[in-house]
Amino acid sequence: AQTVTQSQPEMSVQEAETVTLSCTYDTSESDYYLFWYKQPPSRQMILVIRQEAYKQQNATENRFSVNFQKAAKSFSLKISDSQLGDAAMYFCAYWDSNYQLIWGAGTKLIIKP
Amino acid sequence: DGGITQSPKYLFRKEGQNVTLSCEQNLNHDAMYWYRQDPGQGLRLIYYSQIVNDFQKGDIAEGYSVSREKKESFPLTVTSAQKNPTAFYLCASTWGQGAADTQYFGPGTRLTVL
């Protein structure tokens, strides 16, 4: 069964600096999708970025980018120029071919002003 | 504005009661999902529906029931058989019938058993 592991329960970063959140997954499939979602204190789940496994190019959305290492089954999220509004829980998720998203336990990101 | 609404925001249940959580979307999405979120854990899938009048069990369906009579609506009933229902419940939807599409989420319902 596919699993998603986020090994950092909590991370902190100084405002305006860069932080990287880790995610590893386990799968035997070759074609799949990976996601990073953000859940701020309001608890509204918001998509941050999405990566398709067949694309070698790392996805980027403004200050958010991923480092996708397919062979290593690693999918880390880099946040550049951190802002106070980035403070949230960040969840990594893997799309299962049974039409399910498999979720990691989350990383709490704290932004220090 | 298109989106997903969930009601109520907070819900309190007495032991032995069934309660129903509402989820409505006006995004014209085909697929809808119910998740449960507990502190320190990721989301766990309760039920999902890819089309009207059809739904599938997720990993933790025991003690829950759903219906999908309309494309826009996917209510979740938490029955008295669910032994530990206190949690945050999130509803989501996707355009296509596969979860590879981006899932859009509602604001959630916090259920507390008294």
Side-chain angles (χ1 to χ4, degrees):
Chain A
Q2 290 88 353
T3 58
V4 176
T5 303
Q6 293 180 250
S7 58
Q8 307 151 319
E10 186 175 297
M11 292 280 287
S12 63
V13 64
Q14 206 71 35
E15 191 177 4
E17 295 191 345
T18 296
V19 64
T20 299
L21 308 183
S22 301
C23 173
T24 58
Y25 57 95
D26 186 26
T27 184
S28 58
E29 299 180 345
S30 59
D31 192 19
Y32 49 87
Y33 295 78
L34 295 161
F35 302 82
W36 277 100
Y37 277 86
K38 167 185 176 180
Q39 188 179 39
S42 67
R43 306 202 75 172
Q44 176 79 52
M45 195 72 77
I46 302 164
L47 176 72
V48 175
I49 203 163
R50 158 187 159 141
Q51 175 79 43
E52 296 157 11
Y54 65 86
K55 290 187 177 179
Q56 295 191 356
Q57 187 173 7
N58 289 326
T60 299
E61 288 288 340
N62 301 315
R63 297 182 295 108
F64 299 86
S65 62
V66 298
N67 183 4
F68 174 49
Q69 301 290 328
K70 191 172 183 180
K73 297 179 183 175
S74 171
F75 182 59
S76 60
L77 175 70
K78 185 172 85 171
I79 306 174
S80 304
D81 185 26
S82 297
Q83 301 175 1
L84 293 177
D86 295 333
M89 286 290 294
Y90 286 82
F91 292 94
C92 177
Y94 167 97
W95 172 71
D96 182 292
S97 56
N98 291 320
Y99 304 110
Q100 296 188 25
L101 273 178
I102 310 300
W103 296 78
T107 296
K108 182 178 181 180
L109 180 62
I110 298 168
I111 310 294
K112 298 177 182 177
Chain B
D1 283 340
I4 302 176
T5 57
Q6 291 185 242
S7 62
K9 186 173 182 179
Y10 299 98
L11 185 57
F12 298 91
R13 192 194 91 168
K14 294 182 180 179
E15 294 278 355
Q17 278 185 337
N18 291 354
V19 292
T20 297
L21 284 60
S22 169
C23 177
E24 303 277 334
Q25 55 98 0
N26 61 3
L27 299 167
N28 199 32
H29 284 177
D30 289 314
M32 298 185 73
Y33 306 81
W34 274 106
Y35 292 97
R36 171 178 171 143
Q37 186 177 25
D38 293 285
Q41 296 187 33
L43 278 63
R44 291 184 292 168
L45 183 66
I46 305 173
Y47 269 98
Y48 66 101
S49 168
Q50 294 180 286
I51 56 173
V52 174
N53 292 323
D54 184 55
F55 47 83
Q56 306 295 328
K57 292 183 179 179
D59 296 329
I60 57 165
E62 185 176 350
Y64 300 96
S65 66
V66 294
S67 63
R68 186 88 186 274
E69 297 176 1
K70 297 186 299 182
K71 187 175 184 178
E72 307 80 41
S73 179
F74 191 41
L76 173 74
T77 296
V78 184
T79 74
S80 57
Q82 171 49 239
K83 298 306 179 188
N84 184 24
T86 294
F88 188 64
Y89 291 87
L90 283 163
C91 178
S93 69
T94 60
W95 179 260
Q97 295 180 7
D101 294 312
T102 298
Q103 291 198 0
Y104 293 86
F105 285 82
T109 292
R110 174 71 183 175
L111 173 62
T112 302
V113 174
L114 301 175

